[in-house]
Amino acid sequence: MPILNRFFKSRDKPIKNYLIGSVYEFFFGSTSSGKKVNERTAMQTTAVYACVRILAETIASLPLHTYKYTKDGKEKATEHQLYYLLHDEPNPEMTSFVFRETLMSHLLLWGNAYAQIIRDGRGQVVALYPLLPDKMRVDRNTSGELYYEYHSDKGVYIFNKDDVLHIPGLGFDGLIGYSPIAMAKNAIGMAMATEEYGASFFANGANPGGVLEHPGVVKDPKKIRDSWNQVYQGSSNAHRIAVLEEGMKFQQIGIPPEQ
C-alpha cells in the first residue's frame, strides 16, 4: 500500500562506504614525525604494548557468568548452553581467557572486536571464533540491512548481522568504533621517532654525527667512511682515540645544548 510504504520504508544505503578495516579514510596519512603508524607498528612502542597487555589481561581475567532471573532476584544459569562457551571454552582452540584477551586487544587497537557465531542445525550457538578487524568491512545492502564482509586469505565471506558478534568502541555513528591508534597517531609517531633517534644516538657511541675533512681530493670516500665507522661507531667503541692521517680533521656536527 502506498500510504504504508511511506512509513515503513527501509533505511537508505550510504552513498559511500567508509567502514573498511574499522578505520575511516581521513585517519590515514603520514604523521607529523614522518613515522608510519598503524595498529601493528604501534605495538612496538613500549607504552602502547604495556597498556594493551594490562587492559586485555585484566578484562580477560574477570569472572564471566550467565544469570537468570528468579522470583528472589537472580542466580547463575550454569545449565544454559552459553554458560560453557563464555565461561570455559568459546571454541575448541581457545579458552575463555584467551578469547576475551584477543577480543579486548582488537578493541583497544582497531576500535572494534568481531567474532563469528557458529550455530548448529537447530540454530543454537555452539562456538565463537575471533575475526581480524583489519580484514572486516561493514556495509548495508540495498534493503538497508547490515552485513559483514570478511576478506581472508582463502577468499571473501559474507555474514549477516546475526552471524557476527560485533563489539564497537567509541564512534560517531553507532556502527563501528574509531581506532584509538589512528586517533593518537601523532603522539605515537613522536614516541617512535624519539625511540629511534635515541637508539641511533647510542649506536653511534652517544656522539652526534660529524664530517671528516681532507686537504686533498679523496678518491674513495666510501672506503674511508666505512673504515671510520667500523672502528669508532657503536656504543662499544665509544671514547676510543682516533688517529687521523694525511692532514685529515674531524669536525663534529650537532645541535648546541642551548637550542
Side-chain angles (χ1 to χ4, degrees), residues 194-230:
T194 303
E195 184 175 326
E196 182 179 341
Y197 178 85
S200 177
F201 179 75
F202 285 104
N204 288 295
N207 288 315
V211 176
L212 284 172
E213 296 182 353
H214 193 281
V217 178
V218 179
K219 296 182 179 179
D220 193 352
K222 182 178 183 301
K223 182 178 180 180
I224 297 177
R225 181 174 58 250
D226 293 342
S227 177
W228 176 274
N229 290 336
Q230 183 179 1

Short mmCIF file of all heavy atoms in Angstrom, two decimals, residues 194-230:
data_model
loop_
_atom_site.label_atom_id
_atom_site.label_comp_id
_atom_site.label_asym_id
_atom_site.label_seq_id
_atom_site.Cartn_x
_atom_site.Cartn_y
_atom_site.Cartn_z
N THR A 194 61.28 9.36 18.62
CA THR A 194 62.19 9.63 19.74
C THR A 194 62.98 8.39 20.11
O THR A 194 64.19 8.45 20.36
CB THR A 194 61.38 10.12 20.96
OG1 THR A 194 60.63 11.28 20.60
CG2 THR A 194 62.30 10.45 22.12
N GLU A 195 62.31 7.25 20.13
CA GLU A 195 62.99 6.00 20.46
C GLU A 195 64.02 5.63 19.39
O GLU A 195 65.13 5.20 19.72
CB GLU A 195 61.95 4.88 20.59
CG GLU A 195 62.52 3.54 21.02
CD GLU A 195 61.44 2.51 21.26
OE1 GLU A 195 60.35 2.89 21.71
OE2 GLU A 195 61.69 1.32 21.00
N GLU A 196 63.66 5.84 18.13
CA GLU A 196 64.61 5.54 17.05
C GLU A 196 65.81 6.48 17.09
O GLU A 196 66.95 6.05 16.87
CB GLU A 196 63.90 5.65 15.70
CG GLU A 196 64.79 5.32 14.52
CD GLU A 196 64.06 5.41 13.20
OE1 GLU A 196 62.81 5.38 13.20
OE2 GLU A 196 64.73 5.51 12.15
N TYR A 197 65.56 7.75 17.39
CA TYR A 197 66.66 8.71 17.48
C TYR A 197 67.60 8.35 18.63
O TYR A 197 68.82 8.39 18.49
CB TYR A 197 66.12 10.12 17.68
CG TYR A 197 67.20 11.17 17.82
CD1 TYR A 197 67.77 11.75 16.70
CD2 TYR A 197 67.65 11.57 19.08
CE1 TYR A 197 68.78 12.70 16.81
CE2 TYR A 197 68.65 12.52 19.21
CZ TYR A 197 69.21 13.09 18.07
OH TYR A 197 70.20 14.03 18.20
N GLY A 198 67.02 7.98 19.78
CA GLY A 198 67.85 7.60 20.91
C GLY A 198 68.67 6.36 20.63
O GLY A 198 69.85 6.28 20.99
N ALA A 199 68.06 5.37 19.96
CA ALA A 199 68.80 4.16 19.62
C ALA A 199 69.94 4.46 18.65
O ALA A 199 71.05 3.94 18.79
CB ALA A 199 67.85 3.13 19.01
N SER A 200 69.67 5.33 17.67
CA SER A 200 70.71 5.70 16.72
C SER A 200 71.82 6.50 17.40
O SER A 200 73.00 6.37 17.07
CB SER A 200 70.09 6.52 15.58
OG SER A 200 71.07 6.96 14.67
N PHE A 201 71.43 7.33 18.37
CA PHE A 201 72.41 8.14 19.10
C PHE A 201 73.40 7.26 19.84
O PHE A 201 74.62 7.45 19.77
CB PHE A 201 71.67 9.06 20.06
CG PHE A 201 72.57 9.94 20.90
CD1 PHE A 201 73.20 11.03 20.34
CD2 PHE A 201 72.77 9.66 22.24
CE1 PHE A 201 74.03 11.84 21.11
CE2 PHE A 201 73.59 10.46 23.02
CZ PHE A 201 74.22 11.56 22.45
N PHE A 202 72.90 6.25 20.56
CA PHE A 202 73.78 5.37 21.30
C PHE A 202 74.52 4.40 20.38
O PHE A 202 75.62 3.94 20.71
CB PHE A 202 73.00 4.61 22.36
CG PHE A 202 72.63 5.46 23.55
CD1 PHE A 202 71.35 5.93 23.70
CD2 PHE A 202 73.58 5.80 24.48
CE1 PHE A 202 71.00 6.72 24.78
CE2 PHE A 202 73.26 6.61 25.57
CZ PHE A 202 71.96 7.07 25.72
N ALA A 203 73.91 4.07 19.24
CA ALA A 203 74.61 3.21 18.29
C ALA A 203 75.83 3.90 17.71
O ALA A 203 76.78 3.23 17.26
CB ALA A 203 73.67 2.81 17.16
N ASN A 204 75.83 5.22 17.74
CA ASN A 204 76.98 5.99 17.26
C ASN A 204 77.88 6.45 18.40
O ASN A 204 78.55 7.47 18.31
CB ASN A 204 76.50 7.21 16.47
CG ASN A 204 75.92 6.82 15.12
OD1 ASN A 204 76.61 6.32 14.26
ND2 ASN A 204 74.63 7.05 14.96
N GLY A 205 77.88 5.69 19.49
CA GLY A 205 78.76 6.00 20.60
C GLY A 205 78.32 7.19 21.41
O GLY A 205 79.14 7.86 22.02
N ALA A 206 77.03 7.49 21.41
CA ALA A 206 76.46 8.63 22.14
C ALA A 206 77.07 9.94 21.67
O ALA A 206 77.20 10.89 22.44
CB ALA A 206 76.65 8.45 23.65
N ASN A 207 77.48 9.99 20.42
CA ASN A 207 78.03 11.21 19.85
C ASN A 207 77.25 11.56 18.59
O ASN A 207 76.86 10.68 17.82
CB ASN A 207 79.51 11.03 19.47
CG ASN A 207 80.40 10.97 20.69
OD1 ASN A 207 80.27 11.77 21.60
ND2 ASN A 207 81.30 9.99 20.71
N PRO A 208 77.01 12.84 18.34
CA PRO A 208 76.34 13.22 17.11
C PRO A 208 77.24 12.98 15.91
O PRO A 208 78.43 12.69 16.04
CB PRO A 208 76.06 14.71 17.31
CG PRO A 208 77.07 15.16 18.30
CD PRO A 208 77.32 13.99 19.20
N GLY A 209 76.69 13.11 14.73
CA GLY A 209 77.46 12.89 13.51
C GLY A 209 78.53 13.94 13.30
O GLY A 209 78.60 14.96 14.00
N GLY A 210 79.36 13.70 12.33
CA GLY A 210 80.44 14.63 12.05
C GLY A 210 80.91 14.52 10.61
O GLY A 210 80.38 13.73 9.82
N VAL A 211 81.92 15.32 10.28
CA VAL A 211 82.47 15.36 8.93
C VAL A 211 83.97 15.15 9.01
O VAL A 211 84.66 15.76 9.83
CB VAL A 211 82.16 16.72 8.26
CG1 VAL A 211 82.83 16.79 6.89
CG2 VAL A 211 80.67 16.93 8.14
N LEU A 212 84.48 14.26 8.15
CA LEU A 212 85.92 14.07 8.02
C LEU A 212 86.42 14.97 6.89
O LEU A 212 85.98 14.84 5.74
CB LEU A 212 86.24 12.60 7.72
CG LEU A 212 86.15 11.62 8.89
CD1 LEU A 212 86.31 10.19 8.40
CD2 LEU A 212 87.21 11.94 9.94
N GLU A 213 87.32 15.89 7.21
CA GLU A 213 87.86 16.82 6.23
C GLU A 213 89.24 16.36 5.78
O GLU A 213 90.08 15.98 6.60
CB GLU A 213 87.94 18.22 6.81
CG GLU A 213 86.59 18.83 7.17
CD GLU A 213 86.73 20.25 7.70
OE1 GLU A 213 87.89 20.68 7.90
OE2 GLU A 213 85.71 20.91 7.91
N HIS A 214 89.46 16.40 4.48
CA HIS A 214 90.75 16.02 3.90
C HIS A 214 91.26 17.19 3.06
O HIS A 214 90.50 17.77 2.27
CB HIS A 214 90.60 14.77 3.04
CG HIS A 214 91.90 14.13 2.67
ND1 HIS A 214 92.70 14.62 1.66
CD2 HIS A 214 92.54 13.05 3.19
CE1 HIS A 214 93.79 13.86 1.56
NE2 HIS A 214 93.71 12.89 2.48
N PRO A 215 92.52 17.56 3.23
CA PRO A 215 93.04 18.73 2.49
C PRO A 215 93.12 18.50 0.98
O PRO A 215 93.11 19.45 0.21
CB PRO A 215 94.43 18.93 3.09
CG PRO A 215 94.82 17.60 3.63
CD PRO A 215 93.54 16.97 4.11
N GLY A 216 93.18 17.25 0.57
CA GLY A 216 93.30 16.96 -0.85
C GLY A 216 92.00 16.41 -1.42
O GLY A 216 90.91 16.64 -0.90
N VAL A 217 92.14 15.65 -2.50
CA VAL A 217 91.00 15.03 -3.16
C VAL A 217 90.92 13.56 -2.74
O VAL A 217 91.90 12.82 -2.87
CB VAL A 217 91.12 15.14 -4.70
CG1 VAL A 217 89.94 14.44 -5.37
CG2 VAL A 217 91.19 16.60 -5.12
N VAL A 218 89.77 13.16 -2.24
CA VAL A 218 89.57 11.78 -1.80
C VAL A 218 89.02 10.97 -2.97
O VAL A 218 87.96 11.28 -3.52
CB VAL A 218 88.60 11.72 -0.60
CG1 VAL A 218 88.38 10.28 -0.18
CG2 VAL A 218 89.15 12.54 0.55
N LYS A 219 89.74 9.93 -3.36
CA LYS A 219 89.32 9.12 -4.49
C LYS A 219 88.20 8.14 -4.12
O LYS A 219 87.34 7.83 -4.93
CB LYS A 219 90.52 8.35 -5.05
CG LYS A 219 91.61 9.25 -5.62
CD LYS A 219 92.74 8.42 -6.19
CE LYS A 219 93.83 9.31 -6.79
NZ LYS A 219 94.96 8.53 -7.35
N ASP A 220 88.24 7.64 -2.88
CA ASP A 220 87.24 6.66 -2.46
C ASP A 220 86.67 7.05 -1.09
O ASP A 220 87.06 6.51 -0.05
CB ASP A 220 87.86 5.26 -2.39
CG ASP A 220 86.82 4.15 -2.27
OD1 ASP A 220 85.63 4.48 -2.09
OD2 ASP A 220 87.19 2.97 -2.35
N PRO A 221 85.74 8.03 -1.05
CA PRO A 221 85.21 8.48 0.24
C PRO A 221 84.43 7.39 0.98
O PRO A 221 84.42 7.36 2.21
CB PRO A 221 84.30 9.65 -0.14
CG PRO A 221 83.97 9.43 -1.58
CD PRO A 221 85.16 8.76 -2.18
N LYS A 222 83.80 6.48 0.23
CA LYS A 222 83.03 5.42 0.89
C LYS A 222 83.94 4.51 1.70
O LYS A 222 83.59 4.07 2.80
CB LYS A 222 82.27 4.61 -0.17
CG LYS A 222 81.39 3.51 0.42
CD LYS A 222 80.64 2.78 -0.68
CE LYS A 222 79.70 1.72 -0.09
NZ LYS A 222 80.41 0.71 0.71
N LYS A 223 85.12 4.22 1.17
CA LYS A 223 86.06 3.35 1.87
C LYS A 223 86.51 3.98 3.17
O LYS A 223 86.61 3.31 4.21
CB LYS A 223 87.25 3.05 0.97
CG LYS A 223 88.27 2.11 1.59
CD LYS A 223 89.40 1.82 0.62
CE LYS A 223 90.43 0.88 1.25
NZ LYS A 223 91.55 0.59 0.31
N ILE A 224 86.77 5.30 3.14
CA ILE A 224 87.20 6.00 4.35
C ILE A 224 86.07 6.03 5.37
O ILE A 224 86.28 5.80 6.57
CB ILE A 224 87.66 7.43 4.00
CG1 ILE A 224 88.89 7.37 3.09
CG2 ILE A 224 87.97 8.22 5.27
CD1 ILE A 224 89.37 8.73 2.64
N ARG A 225 84.84 6.31 4.91
CA ARG A 225 83.71 6.37 5.83
C ARG A 225 83.45 5.01 6.47
O ARG A 225 83.22 4.90 7.68
CB ARG A 225 82.46 6.85 5.09
CG ARG A 225 81.23 6.95 5.98
CD ARG A 225 80.04 7.58 5.27
NE ARG A 225 79.67 6.83 4.07
CZ ARG A 225 79.84 7.28 2.83
NH1 ARG A 225 80.40 8.46 2.62
NH2 ARG A 225 79.47 6.55 1.79
N ASP A 226 83.49 3.95 5.67
CA ASP A 226 83.25 2.61 6.21
C ASP A 226 84.33 2.21 7.20
O ASP A 226 84.06 1.57 8.23
CB ASP A 226 83.16 1.59 5.08
CG ASP A 226 81.94 1.80 4.19
OD1 ASP A 226 81.00 2.50 4.64
OD2 ASP A 226 81.93 1.28 3.05
N SER A 227 85.57 2.58 6.89
CA SER A 227 86.67 2.26 7.80
C SER A 227 86.52 3.00 9.12
O SER A 227 86.77 2.44 10.20
CB SER A 227 88.00 2.62 7.13
OG SER A 227 89.08 2.38 8.01
N TRP A 228 86.09 4.25 9.05
CA TRP A 228 85.89 5.05 10.27
C TRP A 228 84.75 4.46 11.11
O TRP A 228 84.89 4.30 12.33
CB TRP A 228 85.58 6.49 9.88
CG TRP A 228 85.25 7.38 11.05
CD1 TRP A 228 84.04 7.56 11.63
CD2 TRP A 228 86.17 8.19 11.79
NE1 TRP A 228 84.13 8.43 12.68
CE2 TRP A 228 85.43 8.84 12.80
CE3 TRP A 228 87.54 8.44 11.68
CZ2 TRP A 228 86.01 9.72 13.70
CZ3 TRP A 228 88.12 9.32 12.59
CH2 TRP A 228 87.36 9.95 13.59
N ASN A 229 83.64 4.12 10.47
CA ASN A 229 82.50 3.57 11.20
C ASN A 229 82.83 2.22 11.82
O ASN A 229 82.36 1.89 12.92
CB ASN A 229 81.30 3.43 10.26
CG ASN A 229 80.72 4.77 9.86
OD1 ASN A 229 80.87 5.76 10.58
ND2 ASN A 229 80.04 4.81 8.72
N GLN A 230 83.64 1.43 11.14
CA GLN A 230 83.99 0.11 11.65
C GLN A 230 84.78 0.20 12.95
O GLN A 230 84.64 -0.64 13.84
CB GLN A 230 84.77 -0.66 10.60
CG GLN A 230 85.12 -2.09 11.02
CD GLN A 230 85.88 -2.83 9.93
OE1 GLN A 230 86.18 -2.27 8.88
NE2 GLN A 230 86.20 -4.08 10.19
#
